[in-house]
């Protein structure tokens, strides 16, 4: 699955002669890898998001009364599919100012789609299952990835100046985001040691 | 250590004190136990109340909390809050608030500020407290705790609005003062006062003023800190007396704040139910104390009564009164009292024996001198206006009788005499004053009757007396009589005076003598004179006068006799016979003779320088002859003499101790001194001694010379003595030559030297030189009596 997310970067790397491997490792204060961290590279020169990238299929499924994945990074303008794979109904909503919406109760096998144009964070909940929570991170760059269980990603990015940013819903920082300016010339390895709060509530009182 | 004067006090205080102390300790222990029990029960009650409070509070807050949570979970509410539809939010909140009947409540929006409801200081404070809450902490799902605004406590229930991130809070609060707390107080079985206090930044615990004004802030804060540490109720002072209180920690909404629930209860209230018990205890204690004191006093006096009786008896015994203790019990004190009584009896017996021994002449069983004194002293106490006579009866030759007939015979004789006396004088007191002296005291007796009485005694005793059945003895007695009426002398002095009278009688060979105060005072004076003589010898104030001796053969003064003179500043000239006798008695004669000797030797030297070469005669006491040391000293002095020294020795002295005396005289002679026999004719002359003494001179006593003119016999004796002396190779000096007739007569008899007032009286050294000068002219007429010139002694 994660290879799927890396694909756009690989494709880009092939089209540009001066591309560099930017390896990013995120760990917490105790040295444990932090998964579900969205890593983005925004070149100073700017980079348009190719249409192919926008046209990709992004899925935020409901399965076992949980959202999957917990964090989903999508480029601005992408469409996300919300299939219900459970036998129970779900009422998916978001009150996030970036894009408030709701899909009133829908049953198994049914799906809704939603296009996300504005970059930002969309917190997802289920009206009838308080324990369900997930985040869609809408990014405004073609160079993005989400860390896996090892807390690492590798981005194929062009050399030159830019801003490397990481985002995690539990990151103890303003807007849950940290950024650092870099000037890349060839491969680079960046590490972030961060303070991450425990995950969002997984169990309610109801 | 306190010293008690009385044993009973000591016992009372010790017993009473000990029991009282024990009672006090018991009472104290009871009181402590009661107080401790009361406190423990109140403590338990307080702790129970604290638990009840917590429980009720939890129940109450849980109800509110569930409603707050319910609202926070409502999708429509969430939607309205997320979309900032404040009107909808407010209406939903108002709806809930009116349903729950909660006074204070508010909604906090996504930006952390109050959106609806309480927007004032309370709202801001609550918002601030909740802002600090970790938005990701799953435990913050619903919060409850204390928030204090200016020390006013509130119970706060807060439920987060999650969508799924936290959008805001639904908050309800209620004051924890006044009615709320009163309701809580009503739940307890005892009227507990409860209040909630919050710690300020400075560490002081503060609460609503009306609940904490009873306490001093500092001591209250200290107490709360202690109580939180020990988790137990204890005492604290307040304006309404001592309180039992406990502080339990309460949860706070804001972790920075700390609040406690203080439950208190007045100690007096706690003890009130035990008051009757304490009163009864006090009553029992006082009753017990009284009983103990009375019992102690009784016991002490019971114990000490026999001791006091013994003490009184001992004091009586000390004062010579019969001291017997009455025995009433059968214990150890009775044994002691009985032993004491035995001791008192034996002491009395022994004392009687001792007194008897002390007052009795054992061989004759007559009263002794001490008893005699006691008797006279008793008489004096009764009054002696009618006169008392004391007669001392001395048995003559008693020593002789005892030596010849034996001691027991002598004693029997004394007893016989006493028998005779008692037969004559039935009311007389008769005692044996010494071995040979009986004392008789008669009262009353007029002074005139004293001598007749003595004569009667003498007449009755001077007889042949049958001593034993087969032996009789001729007894001779001497009597000394002393009569007294209203005079001062003590009993002792009276007896002494009677004894002196006896001595006087014996001395004067009289049968009976009355005490002569004149002689008595002379004796006293002699003692004084002895002292004065010593002083005079010490200060060398004795003078040496010289009486010239006229030599018939040479017709001039050839020698002088040195005569010691004592001119006492008060007495005038003291009789040489008297003080020389004293000197001989006391031994002062040595110093006296030495002083005279030294003076004579010096004067002889001065005479020689004045042109007169005279022999000097010095009286040498017979007693000194037996002192070999003194003899040697005198000899050494005489060796320094410039002229002839003659020692005049009385014949009696020589005869008394012939052996040593003769040896000394021989030594003197061998060393060139002349020896003269003084006062020849008065001593017990022995021709044998006269023959042995190598004397150079014989001095015929004045008593012969004075009578020489009138008495034929004396003249014959003198003439014979002169011839005898000449025959023995001695020259003869006549003493007491006072008339021209005797002077001439003696010359005719062949006397060698004349001495006496007829030639010259004794004179001081200064006058002697004048006399010698004057006499030189007259010396030519040999056979004539020298002209006597009266010279005044200076």
């Amino acid at each position: 699955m994660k290879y799927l997310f890396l694909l756009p970067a690989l494709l880009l790397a092939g089209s540009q002669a001066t591309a560099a491997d930017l390896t990013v490792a995120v760990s917490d204060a105790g040295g444990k890898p932090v998964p579900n961290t969205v890593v983005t590279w925004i070149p100073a020169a700017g980079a348009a998001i190719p249409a192919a990238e926008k046209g990709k299929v992004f899925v935020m499924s409901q399965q076992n009364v949980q959202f999957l994945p917990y964090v989903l990074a999508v480029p601005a303008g992408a469409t996300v599919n919300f299939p219900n794979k459970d036998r129970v109904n779900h009422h998916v909503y978001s009150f996030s100012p970036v894009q408030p919406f709701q899909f009133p109760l829908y049953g198994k096998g049914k799906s809704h789609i939603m296009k996300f144009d504005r970059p930002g964070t969309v917190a997802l909940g289920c009206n009838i299952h308080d324990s369900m929570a997930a985040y869609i991170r809408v990014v405004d760059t073609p160079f993005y990835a989400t860390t896996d269980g090892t807390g690492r990603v590798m981005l194929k990015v062009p050399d030159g100046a830019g801003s490397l940013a990481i985002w995690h819903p539990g990151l103890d920082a303003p807007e849950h985001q940290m950024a650092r300016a870099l000037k890349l010339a060839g491969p680079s390895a960046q590490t972030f040691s961060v303070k991450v709060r425990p995950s969002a509530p997984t169990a309610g009182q109801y | 250590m306190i010293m008690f004067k009385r044993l009973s006090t000591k016992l009372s205080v010790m017993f009473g004190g000990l029991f009282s102390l024990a009672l006090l300790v018991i009472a104290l222990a009871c009181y402590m136990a009661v107080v401790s029990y009361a406190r423990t029960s109140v403590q338990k009650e307080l702790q129970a109340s604290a638990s009840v409070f917590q429980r009720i509070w939890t129940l109450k807050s849980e109800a509110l909390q569930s409603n707050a949570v319910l609202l926070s979970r409502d999708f429509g509410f969430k939607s309205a809050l997320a979309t900032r539809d404040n009107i909808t939010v407010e209406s939903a909140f108002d709806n809930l608030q009116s349903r729950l009947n909660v006074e204070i409540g508010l909604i906090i929006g996504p930006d952390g500020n109050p959106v609806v409801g309480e927007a004032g200081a309370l709202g801001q404070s609550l918002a601030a407290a909740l802002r600090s809450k970790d938005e990701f902490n799953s435990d913050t799902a619903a919060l409850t705790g204390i928030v204090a605004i200016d020390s006013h406590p509130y119970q706060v229930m807060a439920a987060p609005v999650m969508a799924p991130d936290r959008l805001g809070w639904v908050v309800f609060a209620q004051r924890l003062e006044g009615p709320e707390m009163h309701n809580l107080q009503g739940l307890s079985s005892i009227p507990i006062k409860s209040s909630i206090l919050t710690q300020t930044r400075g560490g002081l615990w503060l609460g609503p003023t009306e609940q904490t004004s009873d306490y001093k802030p500092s001591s209250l804060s200290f107490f709360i800190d202690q109580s939180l540490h020990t988790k137990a109720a204890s005492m604290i002072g307040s304006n309404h007396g001592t309180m039992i209180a406990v502080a339990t920690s309460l949860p706070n909404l804001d972790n920075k704040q700390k609040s406690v629930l203080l439950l208190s209860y007045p100690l007096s209230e706690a003890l009130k139910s035990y008051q009757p018990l304490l009163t009864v205890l006090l009553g029992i204690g006082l009753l017990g104390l009284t009983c103990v004191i009375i019992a102690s006093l009784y016991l002490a006096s019971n114990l000490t009564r026999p001791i006091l009786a013994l003490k009184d008896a001992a004091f009586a015994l000390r004062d010579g009164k019969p001291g017997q203790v009455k025995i009433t019990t059968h214990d150890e004190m009775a044994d002691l009292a009985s032993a004491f009584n035995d001791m008192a009896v034996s002491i009395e017996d022994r004392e009687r024996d001792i007194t008897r021994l002390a007052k009795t002449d054992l061989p004759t069983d007559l009263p002794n001198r001490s008893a005699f004194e006691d008797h006279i002293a008793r008489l004096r106490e009764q009054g002696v206006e009618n006169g008392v006579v004391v007669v001392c009866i001395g048995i003559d030759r008693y020593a002789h009788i005892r030596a010849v007939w034996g001691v027991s015979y002598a004693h029997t004789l004394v007893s016989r005499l006493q028998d005779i006396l008692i037969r004559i004088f039935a009311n007389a007191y008769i005692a044996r004053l010494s071995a040979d002296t009986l004392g008789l005291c008669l009262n009353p007796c007029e002074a005139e009757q004293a001598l007749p009485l003595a004569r009667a005694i003498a007449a009755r005793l001077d007889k042949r007396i049958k001593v034993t059945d087969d032996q009789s003895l001729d007894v001779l007695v001497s009597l000394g009589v002393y009569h007294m009426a209203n005079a001062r002398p003590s009993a002792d002095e009276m007896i002494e005076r009677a004894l002196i009278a006896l001595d006087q009688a014996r001395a004067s060979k009289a049968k009976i003598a009355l005490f002569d105060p004149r002689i008595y005072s002379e004796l006293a004076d002699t003692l004084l004179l002895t002292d004065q003589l010593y002083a005079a010898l010490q200060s060398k104030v004795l003078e040496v006068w010289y009486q010239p001796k006229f030599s018939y053969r040479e017709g001039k003064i050839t020698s002088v006799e040195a005569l010691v003179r004592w001119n006492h500043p008060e007495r005038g000239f003291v009789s040489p016979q008297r003080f020389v006798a004293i000197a001989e008695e006391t031994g002062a004669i040595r110093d006296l003779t030495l002083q005279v000797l030294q003076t004579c030797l010096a004067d002889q030297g001065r005479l020689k320088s004045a042109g007169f070469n005279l022999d000097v005669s010095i009286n040498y006491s017979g007693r000194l002859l037996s002192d070999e040391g003194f003899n040697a000293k005198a000899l050494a002095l005489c060796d320094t003499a410039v002229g002839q020294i003659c020692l005049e020795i009385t014949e009696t002295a020589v005869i008394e101790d012939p052996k040593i005396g003769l040896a000394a005289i021989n030594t003197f002679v061998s060393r060139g001194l002349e020896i003269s026999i003084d006062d020849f004719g008065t001593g017990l002359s022995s021709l044998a001694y006269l023959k042995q003494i190598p004397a150079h001179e014989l001095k015929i006593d004045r008593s012969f010379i004075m009578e020489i003119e009138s008495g034929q016999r004396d003249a014959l004796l003198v003439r014979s003595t002169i011839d005898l002396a000449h025959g023995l190779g001695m020259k003869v000096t006549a003493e007491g030559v006072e008339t021209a007739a005797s002077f001439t007569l003696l010359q005719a008899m062949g006397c060698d030297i004349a001495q006496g007032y007829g030639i010259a009286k004794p004179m001081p050294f200064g006058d002697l030189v004048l006399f010698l000068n004057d006499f030189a002219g007259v010396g030519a007429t040999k056979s004539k009596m020298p002209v006597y010139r009266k010279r005044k002694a200076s």
Side-chain angles (χ1 to χ4, degrees):
Chain A
M1 193 77 164
K2 57 194 170 196
Y3 299 109
L4 189 68
F5 304 132
L6 290 172
L7 197 59
L10 289 169
L11 289 171
L12 276 167
S15 63
Q16 291 192 2
T18 56
D21 291 342
L22 178 58
T23 314
V24 178
V26 182
S27 60
D28 64 12
K32 272 170 69 180
V34 179
N36 294 324
T37 307
V38 177
V39 183
T40 54
W41 171 257
I42 301 171
I49 302 166
E53 190 67 30
K54 288 180 187 174
K56 284 177 113 170
V57 178
F58 297 95
V59 177
M60 174 60 77
S61 60
Q62 297 100 58
Q63 204 171 330
N64 299 329
V65 201
Q66 286 292 327
F67 286 111
L68 198 76
Y70 178 51
V71 174
L72 176 67
V74 296
T79 302
V80 179
N81 211 351
F82 292 88
N84 183 355
K85 295 180 178 173
D86 276 332
R87 287 187 298 147
V88 297
N89 288 357
H90 290 293
H91 178 162
V92 178
Y93 72 91
S94 172
F95 293 137
S96 299
V98 174
Q99 189 152 345
F101 69 92
Q102 59 175 305
F103 307 128
L105 289 174
Y106 62 102
K108 181 179 171 159
K110 295 206 174 140
S111 184
H112 288 279
I113 54 166
M114 174 68 68
K115 188 179 178 205
F116 296 94
D117 290 322
R118 290 168 64 196
T121 304
V122 178
L124 298 175
C126 175
N127 190 15
I128 58 172
H129 300 113
D130 280 347
S131 61
M132 289 173 66
Y135 296 90
I136 296 172
R137 177 72 175 171
V138 184
V139 300
D140 197 16
T141 175
F143 310 109
Y144 65 93
T146 306
T147 57
D148 56 8
T150 64
R152 309 171 72 89
V153 290
M154 199 189 70
L155 296 177
K156 289 277 185 194
V157 296
D159 283 345
S163 170
L164 177 68
I166 59 168
W167 177 95
H168 185 277
L171 188 64
D172 188 14
E175 302 288 309
H176 310 300
Q177 179 176 308
M178 285 171 73
R180 74 174 62 138
L182 289 176
K183 195 174 168 88
L184 293 174
S188 171
Q190 294 293 324
T191 57
F192 285 86
S193 182
V194 296
K195 195 175 166 194
V196 177
R197 306 286 179 88
S199 301
T202 52
Q205 279 171 303
Y206 297 89
Chain B
M1 186 72 197
I2 309 159
M3 298 301 287
F4 293 104
K5 267 186 112 172
R6 291 165 61 89
L7 186 61
S8 64
T9 319
K10 188 176 178 178
L11 286 171
S12 303
V13 169
M14 279 181 69
F15 281 127
L18 207 64
F19 280 115
S20 306
L21 200 68
L23 267 176
L24 202 68
V25 168
I26 291 168
L28 209 65
C30 283
Y31 179 76
M32 299 276 277
V34 166
V35 170
S36 165
Y37 182 73
R39 203 167 68 172
T40 312
S41 55
V42 171
Q43 272 176 2
K44 281 182 185 157
E45 186 68 37
L46 285 176
Q47 266 148 5
S49 296
S51 303
V52 167
F53 179 91
Q54 298 269 23
R55 183 72 200 131
I56 288 169
W57 191 30
T58 308
L59 284 174
K60 216 170 166 177
S61 53
E62 269 176 2
L64 278 176
Q65 201 179 350
S66 15
N67 282 298
V69 168
L70 210 58
L71 181 64
S72 73
R73 297 291 162 102
D74 188 83
F75 186 72
F77 179 75
K78 278 189 203 174
S79 172
L81 192 63
T83 54
R84 313 208 176 225
D85 182 1
N86 286 354
I87 298 165
T88 312
V89 168
E90 193 168 0
S91 68
F93 177 72
D94 285 348
N95 176 47
L96 185 63
Q97 197 174 14
S98 66
R99 200 198 303 165
L100 296 175
N101 194 18
V102 186
E103 260 179 66
I104 305 161
L106 75 158
I107 304 293
I108 294 166
D111 55 358
N113 289 323
V115 179
V116 294
E118 196 76 34
L122 177 58
Q124 294 297 337
S125 298
L126 291 173
L130 289 168
R131 255 201 300 278
S132 66
K133 292 291 164 192
D134 191 340
E135 63 182 290
F136 296 103
N137 192 340
S138 57
D139 294 337
T140 62
L143 296 172
T144 179
I146 305 287
V147 170
I149 314 293
D150 294 336
S151 301
H152 291 289
Y154 294 89
Q155 187 188 5
V156 176
M157 284 68 61
V161 182
M162 305 297 285
D165 284 354
R166 197 170 68 202
L167 282 179
W169 296 88
V170 177
V171 183
F172 290 119
Q174 56 190 12
R175 288 171 75 97
L176 289 173
E177 293 174 52
E180 281 291 329
M181 299 310 280
H182 282 304
N183 289 344
L184 183 70
Q185 288 164 14
L187 289 170
S188 172
S189 61
I190 54 172
I192 289 172
K193 191 180 170 191
S194 58
S195 46
I196 289 168
L197 296 101
T198 307
Q199 197 172 30
T200 61
R201 201 161 293 170
L204 270 182
W205 291 90
L206 290 178
T209 321
E210 75 273 8
Q211 288 176 354
T212 56
S213 56
D214 282 350
Y215 303 100
K216 248 171 76 184
S218 57
S219 60
L220 181 63
S221 295
F222 179 76
F223 172 80
I224 288 171
D225 289 337
Q226 285 291 109
S227 183
L228 285 176
H229 183 70
T230 59
K231 297 188 191 333
S234 53
M235 310 284 195
I236 178 174
S238 83
N239 293 347
H240 298 304
T242 305
M243 312 287 276
I244 301 177
V246 66
T248 44
S249 188
L250 290 176
N252 275 80
L253 195 65
D254 186 349
N255 290 334
K256 288 176 203 148
Q257 269 191 335
K258 273 186 187 166
S259 296
V260 290
L261 172 68
L262 181 73
L263 298 172
S264 59
Y265 187 69
L267 182 65
S268 56
E269 288 290 322
L271 289 179
K272 200 176 263 173
S273 53
Y274 299 99
Q275 208 61 55
L277 178 63
L278 285 176
T279 312
V280 167
L281 274 178
L282 184 70
I284 292 172
L286 285 177
L287 195 70
L289 195 64
T290 315
C291 290
V292 159
I293 287 170
I294 290 169
S296 303
L297 285 173
Y298 175 74
L299 189 66
S301 73
N302 235 13
L303 273 177
T304 53
R305 197 178 301 126
I307 296 174
L308 286 176
L310 272 175
K311 185 196 80 178
D312 291 343
F315 280 150
L317 200 61
R318 182 197 64 187
D319 297 340
K321 291 175 216 153
Q324 289 287 318
V325 187
K326 204 174 155 197
I327 299 167
T328 51
T329 56
H330 301 285
D331 55 9
E332 291 90 337
M333 290 311 295
D335 295 346
L336 178 61
S338 155
F340 179 87
N341 286 346
D342 291 351
M343 183 188 76
V345 167
S346 66
I347 284 176
E348 278 166 28
D349 289 352
R350 225 169 297 154
E351 211 162 65
R352 248 197 312 279
D353 281 353
I354 290 167
T355 311
R356 198 178 63 79
L357 287 175
K359 302 288 179 188
T360 310
D361 176 62
L362 292 177
T364 54
D365 214 24
L366 279 172
N368 63 8
R369 178 169 173 158
S370 173
F372 197 58
E373 270 178 36
D374 290 350
H375 175 76
I376 296 172
R378 272 198 299 280
L379 286 181
R380 280 164 54 80
E381 275 170 29
Q382 290 161 11
V384 287
E385 292 81 14
N386 297 323
V388 179
V389 70
V390 178
V391 181
C392 285
I393 303 154
I395 304 163
D396 294 346
R397 300 182 295 118
Y398 180 81
H400 183 68
I401 294 166
R402 188 174 56 189
V404 173
W405 300 98
V407 176
S408 61
Y409 184 85
H411 288 320
T412 313
L413 170 65
V414 173
S415 296
R416 288 283 169 277
L417 295 182
Q418 189 259 348
D419 291 343
I420 295 163
L421 287 173
I422 208 73
R423 247 177 275 141
I424 320 169
F425 309 104
N427 60 338
Y429 189 84
I430 296 162
R432 191 180 188 187
L433 302 185
S434 62
D436 65 342
T437 312
L438 281 170
L440 181 144
C441 174
L442 200 60
N443 165 264
C445 179
E446 296 292 330
E448 301 85 59
Q449 295 174 339
L451 267 179
L453 174 81
R455 283 195 204 103
I457 293 169
R460 187 64 190 81
L461 296 185
D462 274 356
K463 278 188 173 172
R464 188 167 184 82
I465 288 168
K466 194 169 182 180
V467 180
T468 58
D469 288 343
D470 50 358
Q471 273 187 322
S472 294
L473 193 71
D474 284 322
V475 174
L476 280 173
V477 292
S478 303
L479 291 93
V481 182
Y482 179 71
H483 181 271
M484 182 197 74
N486 299 325
R488 285 180 177 278
S490 65
D492 180 37
E493 279 174 326
M494 285 178 71
I495 299 165
E496 203 52 48
R497 285 177 184 191
L499 284 170
I500 288 167
L502 175 60
D503 286 345
Q504 288 170 357
R506 275 177 170 158
S508 58
K509 310 278 182 199
K511 191 87 201 153
I512 299 162
L514 264 174
F515 172 73
D516 185 347
R518 203 162 33 79
I519 295 169
Y520 181 64
S521 65
E522 220 167 74
L523 280 173
D525 187 57
T526 301
L527 280 176
L528 178 65
L529 194 65
T530 308
D531 280 353
Q532 289 170 340
L533 176 63
Y534 272 104
L537 284 171
Q538 204 71 39
S539 50
K540 297 188 193 262
V541 294
L542 296 182
E543 296 168 27
V544 178
W545 287 20
Y546 298 95
Q547 188 171 35
K549 290 162 88 176
F550 178 80
S551 169
Y552 286 111
R553 197 157 301 147
E554 297 189 35
K556 61 174 185 179
I557 306 298
T558 54
S559 58
V560 288
E561 183 180 356
L563 296 163
V564 68
R565 288 291 179 271
W566 180 14
N567 191 1
H568 190 271
E570 287 157 22
R571 296 171 186 269
F573 280 96
V574 183
S575 156
Q577 275 88 356
R578 198 170 166 208
F579 75 80
V580 168
I582 291 171
E584 286 191 322
E585 284 294 320
T586 58
I589 192 70
R590 287 177 182 76
D591 280 349
L592 181 69
T593 307
L594 272 183
Q595 276 187 26
V596 170
L597 200 53
Q598 282 161 348
T599 311
C600 287
L601 290 171
D603 286 349
Q604 194 180 36
R606 286 199 278 165
L607 280 172
K608 190 171 187 178
S609 4
F612 301 104
N613 201 0
L614 297 180
D615 296 353
V616 178
S617 294
I618 296 162
N619 287 294
Y620 201 82
S621 171
R623 286 171 189 267
L624 292 173
L625 282 175
S626 50
D627 185 342
E628 286 170 343
F630 184 81
N631 287 339
K633 210 185 274 179
L635 256 179
L637 267 175
C638 290
D639 281 347
T640 65
V642 295
Q644 186 61 51
I645 298 291
C646 176
L647 300 180
E648 296 189 3
I649 296 162
T650 41
E651 189 189 9
T652 50
V654 179
I655 293 163
E656 272 172 15
D657 202 345
K659 209 170 187 179
I660 300 172
L662 282 174
I665 287 168
N666 281 324
T667 312
F668 288 147
V669 170
S670 69
R671 295 284 281 271
L673 294 176
E674 287 190 352
I675 299 296
S676 169
I677 295 173
D678 207 2
D679 302 333
F680 184 78
T682 54
L684 294 168
S685 304
S686 161
L687 289 176
Y689 285 138
L690 195 61
K691 184 186 80 178
Q692 283 172 8
I693 292 172
H696 301 82
E697 184 187 45
L698 191 75
K699 289 185 88 174
I700 302 171
D701 192 75
R702 64 176 68 235
S703 55
F704 297 100
I705 306 301
M706 305 275 256
E707 303 291 321
I708 197 170
E709 295 168 57
S710 51
Q712 196 62 40
R713 288 177 69 88
D714 282 319
L716 189 63
L717 273 173
V718 170
R719 186 192 299 275
S720 304
T721 304
I722 291 169
D723 289 345
L724 176 67
H726 282 164
L728 287 170
M730 298 181 226
K731 49 188 175 180
V732 177
T733 300
E735 290 179 284
V737 180
E738 296 186 356
T739 60
S742 57
F743 181 79
T744 315
L745 206 56
L746 284 166
Q747 190 178 27
M749 284 179 183
C751 184
D752 300 293
I753 297 160
Q755 181 186 352
Y757 283 15
I759 290 109
K761 284 187 172 180
M763 60 191 78
F765 179 78
D767 290 354
L768 178 65
V769 179
L770 290 175
F771 174 82
L772 289 172
N773 280 328
D774 283 355
F775 197 84
V778 201
T781 53
K782 278 185 180 178
S783 55
K784 282 187 180 168
M785 177 79 177
V787 179
Y788 169 68
R789 291 147 203 243
K790 193 168 185 179
R791 285 184 188 276
K792 207 177 164 190
S794 56

